[in-house]
Amino acid sequence: MPITKAVITAAGWGTRFLPATKSIPKEMVPVVDRPAIHYVVQEAVESGIRLIVLVTAPEKKAIEDYFDRMPELERLLEAKGDMATLAEVRRPAQMARFCAVRQQEKAGLGHAVLAAREVIGNEFFAVLLPDDLIDGPEPCLRQMLRVHEQYGGSVVAVERVPREAVSRYGIVAPELLSGRVYRLRDMVEKPSPENAPSDLAIVGRYLLSPRLFDILEHTPAGRGNEIQLTDGIRALLREEPVYALEFEGQRHDTGNKLGFLKATVSYALRHPELGPAFRDYLCSLNVCHD
């Protein structure tokens, strides 16, 4: 059965981007000319997703508005004859069908995913975290869907990280199956370098079994007194196979300021209108010194 529903979690405070995120949802901060969450939705749509479930919070209404129509603005642009801008304004609402649910309390990623249960129902679904922008030869989620089609089961995206950085991630204990595909034996949330089972870290892309909802409902609060998605998946792999894909592509972590700046430069250089002039500007800067 094709996977056509995706959950995008966007209910957090965005504390690493304060004070800007006092009034602007972190997911709406533009990377070049569109908000970061737009790129993540685009990846999902290009992978075959048709329904996007946005898990938001009361202060995140701007996200819901972005993926909705704005008739007054559209009429203004149409009257001016600015059809190119009109098409860009309409495009977010046309990308997919959208449904927004509220996470009633900020109780962790697992709790946020559980909030989408009634919309997802009893079928496999994708989860995408808007902090992670993944640029590759093809969408990361599409790569993962091929693994699911071949092996069944749930799939998580992983990438290799330096040993000294493993304490910032969920780390998997992998069993190599073929190429870049692994079956998971276990996973550990933010281990110390000496206790990490590998250097393969889980990043913000998941294909998950609906069985996970029952597990999350009974998962106790873990690190940070929150319901951790990693804890739920760890329990799931005791019942069902869970696989990991070491995806092809480059991940930009826009959840931190340096990662956000790197993503902005990378996407700006590839922009069809801005790219050449921006490249010339960067080359003109004398910022490196011996």
Side-chain angles (χ1 to χ4, degrees), residues 41 95 121 157 160 170 183 187 192 208 262:
V41 170
M95 294 171 74
R160 296 193 181 276
R183 180 163 179 168
M187 54 203 309
S192 62
L208 298 172
K262 289 179 178 180

Side-chain angles (χ1 to χ4, degrees), residues 251-270:
R251 179 179 70 99
H252 297 284
D253 180 4
T254 65
N256 71 77
K257 295 172 185 176
L258 181 58
F260 176 83
L261 291 173
K262 289 179 178 180
T264 300
V265 171
S266 178
Y267 281 81
L269 287 171
R270 294 201 323 275

Side-chain angles (χ1 to χ4, degrees), residues 7-8 35-46 52 95 127-134 141 204-205:
V7 176
I8 297 181
I37 195 170
H38 181 114
Y39 295 95
V40 178
V41 170
Q42 184 172 316
E43 177 189 329
V45 171
E46 290 177 353
I52 304 289
M95 294 171 74
V127 174
L128 300 93
L129 307 189
D131 279 351
D132 284 341
L133 303 187
I134 299 177
L141 189 59
R205 300 291 184 273

Side-chain angles (χ1 to χ4, degrees), residues 114-125:
L114 190 56
R117 180 176 192 169
E118 290 189 16
V119 182
I120 297 299
N122 190 34
E123 57 188 274
F124 275 82
F125 63 103

Side-chain angles (χ1 to χ4, degrees), residues 161 166 169-173 186-189 191 196-202:
V161 298
V166 296
Y169 297 91
I171 303 295
V172 303
D186 200 358
M187 54 203 309
V188 183
E189 182 68 20
S198 75
D199 61 352
L200 288 171
I202 302 170

Side-chain angles (χ1 to χ4, degrees), residues 106-216:
K106 298 185 193 318
L109 180 56
H111 184 269
V113 170
L114 190 56
R117 180 176 192 169
E118 290 189 16
V119 182
I120 297 299
N122 190 34
E123 57 188 274
F124 275 82
F125 63 103
V127 174
L128 300 93
L129 307 189
D131 279 351
D132 284 341
L133 303 187
I134 299 177
D135 181 26
E138 65 174 334
C140 176
L141 189 59
R142 187 186 297 166
Q143 298 175 46
M144 296 170 66
L145 284 164
R146 283 204 301 274
V147 175
H148 174 74
E149 290 164 3
Q150 181 174 359
Y151 294 99
S154 299
V155 185
V156 299
V158 296
E159 71 172 355
R160 296 193 181 276
V161 298
R163 274 280 172 177
E164 60 270 21
V166 296
S167 60
R168 301 202 298 265
Y169 297 91
I171 303 295
V172 303
E175 175 188 342
L176 181 63
L177 294 181
S178 63
R180 305 168 73 92
V181 180
Y182 305 84
R183 180 163 179 168
L184 298 195
R185 299 195 310 269
D186 200 358
M187 54 203 309
V188 183
E189 182 68 20
K190 299 181 178 179
S192 62
E194 59 272 18
N195 293 324
S198 75
D199 61 352
L200 288 171
I202 302 170
V203 300
R205 300 291 184 273
Y206 309 82
L207 292 175
L208 298 172
S209 162
R211 169 65 181 136
L212 183 67
F213 288 127
D214 289 331
I215 293 172
L216 288 173

